[in-house]
Amino acid sequence: MLKLKQILLISTTLLIMSGCATKEVVQQPLPPRTVQVVPMVTPIVKPESHTFAGETLTATPKVSAVVKQIKALSSNSAYIDLNANQNVEVGNFLNISATPNLDGYLKLIIIDPNGERKLVLPNGIHNGYLQANQRFYTNNNQFALKTTKPTGLHYVVVVFSEQNARMIMQQGTNGYNAINNDHDLFSILQSIKHQNYGKSHISIFPMRIYQ
């Protein structure tokens, strides 16, 4: 009997020492999480610069961004023999000639220093359709395409495709205007580049208009 009491006493002591007694555990609140907000950084577009007769002209960031995007969409699946006077005085003829190696439709778009765009071909006189090896030129009275203000750095976008790709479509809910809207312009150029309108040519070159 004595041994049994001693065993019970020892067991009780061990239970107390081992911390088996129930204690309420209080959970400490976690410190608030700190969320670091990283500001979005707009990539800097290097301005386009060109030198004409010793004078260097630089495009605005807006125009430079458009020019770089058009350059990225350039296409040469159709060949165009292209020549142009890139230094033209106000009031003189816009001197551009183009000869394609395929039948197709030629379009000329001018981007002025402010980023405004003008579709100079097709126009009311010429629909832009050329046969293979047929030369088109602007420096004549028939087209009366003379340079006007504003002066400064302009860009000429040359687009050719076997099938006619309209720059302006305002019919129904799917209308678009590639002359006034950047998204529409890039979309139609990408479609032309991917030969949705047959073999194509897309290029862009600078032109200075001075007073």
Side-chain angles (χ1 to χ4, degrees), residues 46-78:
K46 184 179 179 181
E48 294 278 325
S49 294
H50 308 274
T51 301
F52 305 87
E55 180 183 1
T56 299
L57 302 178
T58 301
T60 66
K62 175 184 176 182
V63 173
S64 295
V66 172
V67 171
K68 289 183 186 299
Q69 185 67 33
I70 295 174
K71 286 182 177 180
L73 293 169
S74 62
S75 171
N76 290 294
S77 55

Side-chain angles (χ1 to χ4, degrees), residues 8 10-11 27 30 32 34 66 109 132 143 155 162:
L8 289 174
I10 293 171
S11 298
Q27 185 175 6
L30 295 174
T34 302
V66 172
I109 304 168
F143 299 113
Y155 286 91
E162 289 185 284

Side-chain angles (χ1 to χ4, degrees), residues 26-174:
V26 179
Q27 185 175 6
Q28 296 297 323
L30 295 174
R33 295 180 62 186
T34 302
V35 179
Q36 185 177 5
V37 179
V38 180
M40 293 184 64
V41 178
T42 303
I44 299 175
V45 177
K46 184 179 179 181
E48 294 278 325
S49 294
H50 308 274
T51 301
F52 305 87
E55 180 183 1
T56 299
L57 302 178
T58 301
T60 66
K62 175 184 176 182
V63 173
S64 295
V66 172
V67 171
K68 289 183 186 299
Q69 185 67 33
I70 295 174
K71 286 182 177 180
L73 293 169
S74 62
S75 171
N76 290 294
S77 55
Y79 175 74
I80 298 286
D81 183 9
L82 184 66
N83 295 281
N85 180 4
Q86 296 176 254
N87 197 35
V88 188
E89 188 175 4
V90 170
N92 287 351
F93 286 116
L94 182 67
N95 190 357
I96 300 173
S97 68
T99 307
N101 67 333
L102 301 169
D103 295 354
Y105 293 84
L106 178 68
K107 293 173 176 56
L108 298 175
I109 304 168
I110 294 183
I111 305 174
D112 74 13
N114 301 316
E116 299 296 323
R117 294 190 285 264
K118 182 179 180 181
L119 182 67
V120 297
L121 186 74
N123 52 45
I125 300 173
H126 199 296
N127 66 0
Y129 178 76
L130 298 173
Q131 294 181 338
N133 301 315
Q134 179 184 352
R135 179 172 175 259
F136 169 83
Y137 56 98
T138 62
N139 58 337
N140 60 75
N141 287 314
Q142 178 185 358
F143 299 113
L145 296 178
K146 293 186 177 182
T147 56
T148 60
K149 293 182 179 180
T151 59
L153 179 59
H154 295 64
Y155 286 91
V156 180
V157 184
V158 181
V159 180
F160 176 85
S161 56
E162 289 185 284
Q163 284 85 48
N164 192 17
R166 295 186 180 182
M167 294 288 107
I168 300 176
M169 178 70 74
Q170 296 176 331
Q171 299 177 358
T173 58
N174 296 323

